[in-house]
Amino acid sequence: MALEGEKKETHVLMVAFSAQGHINPMLRLGKRLVSKGLQVALATNEVAQSNSFTRTVTGVHLEFFSDGLSLDYNREANLDYDMESIGKFGPIDLSALIQRHCKKFSCIINNPFVSWVSDVAAKHEIPCAMLWIQPCTLYAIYYRFYNCLNSFPTSENPQMNVELPGLPSLCTEDLPSFILPSSSVSSFPKMLYELFQDMKKLKWGLGNSFQELETDVIETMDEIHPIWPVGPLVPSSLLGKEDATDEGIDLFKSEDTCIEWLNHQKPSSVIYISFGSLLMESPKEKESIATALTRSGHPFLWVVKPSDSKSEESEGTMPLKNGMGDQGLIVKWSPQTQVLAHPSLACFLSNCGWNSLSESITAGVPIIAYPQRTDQPTNA
Ligand code: UDP
């Protein structure tokens, strides 16, 4: 029973996989809940802690749980094994975290890559919501595919046009790679299958998108398993808010030179190139991009992530060796949202990860789409 004068507090626990593109939309949603007077905690696997949280969201309390692997284990090299391990050890640690929390959580919000969280929530009799971090279109496609509601390409009929309510006709190349018959077996399609087959565990579906962008497809899900768009979950600075603190984290340290360099370029002149946090361009792709950039004559800002192996490290700096140094700036990681808001930017050559697209759409920067896998072809 609440004591007289004591304010009834609502506590919400958010749980995200430790990737930048997963944690940041959660943090931005968390900040909005805090602004409505809720108490919010965000839990992620503890490797993010060692990867240095450089910023935190005011008011969102950060918690960490173990994925059962040592902190120096190279998770990127074996994401499947990481997913398996987190699914085995995460629930134990998360359960303990819920139990030792001072107040009962009123709601848990998970995201698709930690779908086991809904079982933990059920065990503690806490309602669970999911923040879907891709477009609502992908939510609709996966739901229909995994529940066999429509026809999709098969090994016998790999090339076909797919007709789905609320969407334009999609050819095979427009579909997410996980549902194609050519997709290799990995933990991700398995996880999506389990998620979309058993959505009863989720009380609410929230989408990192906005109604006006995907009106028709959102409406088609109303009668099946609704999704409420609560986005775009991008930094407030991109939305033109006065309070421009970027409520996100950087899992890599961005290079300070970027903005200074952009300040010296002509308005709407720079081509920005980035392939997100997970993909690496192959040496051949880097070479093709370098050739195209040289021919375009435009200044460019190119994010080329270093890799672990020594030989690939030298490939990482390959474009500079082609004598492109004066035309552009090559960095290992950029402050992307600040870059997209910069007046000297002309366009963004992007792999079409959903965070990058949402940021670019919000900033009004035209995109040259270079999609590769998962949701990227459909996003493009
Ligand atoms: N990002 C950044 N600096 C970079 C490249 C990317 O800050 O040099 C951020 C970008 O703003 C976005 C996220 O990393 O928020 C990448 O997410 P996205 O969904 O685009 O791609 P993913 O990393 O999931 O492939």
Side-chain angles (χ1 to χ4, degrees), residues 70-103:
S70 70
L71 290 179
D72 52 11
Y73 181 82
N74 184 358
R75 287 162 178 76
E76 279 169 29
N78 198 346
L79 216 50
D80 275 344
Y81 185 64
D82 186 17
M83 297 299 289
E84 204 179 297
S85 187
I86 195 174
K88 202 154 128 201
F89 293 95
I92 304 167
D93 245 26
L94 192 72
S95 244
L97 193 156
I98 292 169
Q99 250 153 2
R100 67 170 183 267
H101 190 73
C102 56
K103 290 266 169 62

Side-chain angles (χ1 to χ4, degrees), residues 16-19 22 45 65-69 73-91 111-117 133 178 186-192 194-195 278:
F17 184 69
S18 65
H22 297 209
N45 33 329
F65 59 86
S66 169
D67 58 10
L69 300 170
Y73 181 82
N74 184 358
R75 287 162 178 76
E76 279 169 29
N78 198 346
L79 216 50
D80 275 344
Y81 185 64
D82 186 17
M83 297 299 289
E84 204 179 297
S85 187
I86 195 174
K88 202 154 128 201
F89 293 95
N111 79 21
F113 286 67
V114 285
S115 50
W116 47 267
V117 172
I133 54 170
F178 288 151
S186 73
S187 53
F188 294 102
K190 184 169 165 274
M191 192 190 58
L192 288 168
E194 285 167 2
L195 171 68
L278 304 171

